[in-house]
Amino acid sequence: MVSTVFLTPSMRTRVGFALAAARLGGSAVEVSELRIDPSMSAGESFPDALRTLTGMCDVVVTRTPFDLDRELIASEAQCPVVNGGDGGVEHPSQALIDLAALESLDVPLVDAHLVISGDLTMRAVRSLLVTLGRNVPGRLTLCGPASRQGHGVVLHPALAAVTTVTDEADWATADVLYLAGLPARRGDDELSSEIRLCYAFTDAAALPITASVLSPLPVIDEIAPSLRLDPRVSMFRQSDHGLHVRVALLEHVLV
Ligand code: CP
């Protein structure tokens, strides 16, 4: 029995884990709201709700607008808790899907020039950088506007040794282009359409013909409509790995 506690929107992760549970002969119960609204007559804290749910299920998968408290989970949870994306911090199951996609490409990851382009502060990028510390590509370029380069991950020394950070979207030698997306946002951190366009895949000639384009999805506008059918765009083959990875992940935490 899997409980999917998704307090912010998700399609792939939420549905993917429910389907993975079904593939394993189990089932999933979806929780989309908790009694944590202070206006309710009897509010409930997230830790209390999590403790209750983990006492009733075999696995709980969460997506939260806030950062998970790992120490609290370690001390209170009665079953494994899978982080399906928390706050702006981590998205580890997406990183495993990304790794599966990277390992399925023709160029071995150890030889590949991987370019991650867009908003480098996104949790999917942060978790991918952690994962790449144990699966180091031949070369890594982190490419995004200066205001979105602060991913905050301490890179594994082996990864740091092959990593370059730049605001220049030069993909001419890329084997894999991972488009992280680049939300416009508002206020001090707002990016103009002109800047955002620099990091979008809009020019077929900007990328080698043998390269692959990945994305954690959903795509905002970082791939031009005219290039969605370009054979290098592999994001749906990437997301097709998601079910298998989630099945493997549930099996892993259940043994
Ligand atoms: N990639 C990803 O996490 O998608 P969802 O937000 O739809 O789960």
Side-chain angles (χ1 to χ4, degrees), residues 6 8-15 63 84-85 91 93-94 97 123-124 215-218 246:
F6 277 62
T8 56
S10 164
M11 195 264 286
R12 278 149 287 273
T13 315
R14 179 176 58 85
V15 176
R63 163 75 59 95
H91 197 351
S93 63
Q94 181 61 49
I97 293 163
R123 62 187 174 204
S215 157
L217 294 171
R246 292 182 184 105

Side-chain angles (χ1 to χ4, degrees), residues 30-251:
E30 187 175 328
V31 178
S32 59
E33 57 185 19
L34 300 175
R35 294 168 66 92
I36 55 175
D37 183 340
S39 68
M40 295 180 78
S41 57
E44 182 172 25
S45 70
F46 180 74
D48 283 1
L50 194 68
R51 166 63 186 85
T52 306
L53 283 167
T54 58
M56 297 194 285
C57 302
D58 300 306
V59 182
V60 170
V61 185
T62 61
R63 163 75 59 95
T64 55
F66 44 82
D67 304 348
L68 288 177
D69 181 340
R70 274 85 180 148
E71 284 181 20
L72 177 94
I73 290 171
S75 64
E76 294 292 324
Q78 304 297 299
C79 73
V81 176
V82 173
N83 179 359
D86 69 326
V89 181
E90 288 187 18
H91 197 351
S93 63
Q94 181 61 49
L96 293 176
I97 293 163
D98 297 342
L99 183 62
L102 287 167
E103 289 186 339
S104 73
L105 299 176
D106 289 339
V107 183
L109 184 56
V110 71
D111 298 326
H113 178 197
L114 169 61
V115 178
I116 301 179
S117 177
D119 189 338
L120 305 175
T121 69
M122 285 174 66
R123 62 187 174 204
V125 173
R126 289 168 51 87
S127 287
L128 181 57
L129 291 175
V130 173
T131 303
L132 291 174
R134 294 188 290 271
N135 304 270
V136 180
R139 190 177 155 200
L140 174 65
T141 300
L142 300 177
C143 151
S147 62
R148 303 287 177 88
Q149 289 179 0
H151 53 73
V153 176
V154 178
L155 299 184
H156 187 286
L159 184 63
V162 299
T163 299
T164 306
V165 184
T166 177
D167 58 5
E168 204 175 321
D170 177 1
W171 308 330
T173 61
D175 296 302
V176 186
L177 173 63
Y178 183 101
L179 289 171
L182 196 51
R185 291 191 192 155
R186 299 209 184 280
D188 292 346
D189 196 21
E190 187 164 354
L191 294 175
S192 66
S193 305
E194 200 177 33
I195 290 179
R196 294 182 62 243
L197 203 59
C198 294
Y199 301 93
F201 183 39
T202 56
D203 174 9
L207 195 63
I209 200 73
T210 52
S212 299
V213 179
L214 301 180
S215 157
L217 294 171
V219 163
I220 310 169
D221 52 6
E222 57 272 24
I223 300 179
S226 61
L227 289 172
R228 292 281 295 226
L229 297 179
D230 185 295
R232 292 170 290 183
V233 175
S234 308
M235 60 195 177
F236 292 118
R237 287 192 286 282
Q238 175 186 5
S239 71
D240 288 344
H241 291 288
L243 183 57
H244 310 296
V245 169
R246 292 182 184 105
V247 166
L249 187 50
L250 290 182
E251 280 190 316

